[in-house]
Amino acid sequence: MSLTFIIGGARSGKSTYAELKAKEYGEKVVYIATAVVTDESMAERVKKHQEQRPQSWGTIEMYSDFDRLVEYKEFMDSEVVLIDCLTTLIGNYMFDSKINFDTCPPEEVNNLEVKITEELFSLINVCKANDKKLIMVSNETGLGVVPPYYMGNYFRDISGRINQKITVASDFMYFVLSGIPVKLKHKGEMIKWQEDF
């Protein structure tokens, strides 16, 4: 089992690069789609992602209950698991929580973050238990402007902290900038030598 973490800004090319890595890692790929279609814009984004993926790949639409993946034939038959993306998953959890982020006590947000973190590590663990190569895709949310509202601030902070935890757990990590991947971790270690690139 290996964990590859691919992170970048919006429209950076991270999903395209993740799909290239998945093809490199094996022929039997299952794609875990975390997006929920809520409007025409999201439907169009989902459609574009579907069109660029090979039709031979299995797709599972889910963003929770990852311990149930063993019930899916597509997962059990796969060599590679690609989840895209973690920040969409986080947004889904925040929306589902029904928390009023403008007035809630910080403990509620902390508890939600713990729940999301545990869910993502359950995905890592089920992939490890079943010897899958896992690729996780996420947005780097800390390089833009500070959101002017509470929910946006909480989203940025939760995403940033969870990204750091996935980084620590990862074997390989890439930052994608305008379509160019930069390798940051190799075999569990931060890049130190030119031959690691």
Side-chain angles (χ1 to χ4, degrees), residues 6-154:
I6 297 174
I7 192 166
R11 311 283 79 78
S12 62
K14 62 189 179 298
S15 294
T16 300
Y17 185 67
E19 290 166 12
L20 288 173
K21 293 305 286 183
K23 291 174 189 173
E24 177 187 316
Y25 288 171
E27 292 183 9
K28 297 178 182 176
V29 179
V30 64
Y31 183 98
I32 299 178
T34 63
V36 175
V37 175
T38 54
D39 55 31
E40 287 185 24
S41 173
M42 181 57 81
E44 183 61 24
R45 286 177 66 183
V46 168
K47 182 171 177 273
K48 284 181 179 176
H49 275 279
Q50 289 171 338
E51 287 171 350
Q52 74 181 31
R53 293 196 302 266
Q55 293 195 354
S56 61
W57 289 9
T59 300
I60 301 172
E61 296 179 358
M62 68 188 313
Y63 61 87
S64 62
D65 301 319
F66 291 122
D67 54 344
R68 291 184 53 240
L69 278 168
V70 293
E71 300 171 17
Y72 289 81
K73 185 177 187 301
E74 298 95 332
F75 173 79
M76 297 306 292
D77 290 347
S78 69
E79 301 168 279
V80 184
V81 178
L82 167 55
I83 181 167
D84 194 357
C85 79
L86 305 192
T87 38
T88 300
L89 178 149
I90 291 166
N92 291 341
Y93 263 91
M94 292 181 75
F95 180 79
D96 288 349
S97 73
K98 308 299 184 195
I99 293 173
N100 183 337
F101 291 96
D102 292 330
T103 60
C104 70
E107 292 76 22
E108 279 192 64
V109 181
N110 293 339
N111 291 338
L112 178 62
E113 182 175 333
V114 168
K115 183 178 179 182
I116 297 167
T117 303
E118 288 174 347
E119 188 65 65
L120 288 170
F121 275 85
S122 79
L123 171 61
I124 293 171
N125 291 335
V126 76
C127 287
K128 189 178 291 186
N130 290 277
D131 197 27
K132 309 296 183 188
K133 290 182 176 131
L134 174 60
I135 301 171
M136 303 178 99
V137 179
S138 190
N139 283 285
E140 172 51 70
T141 58
L143 296 177
V145 297
V146 176
Y149 52 97
Y150 282 106
M151 188 174 187
N153 267 300
Y154 284 130

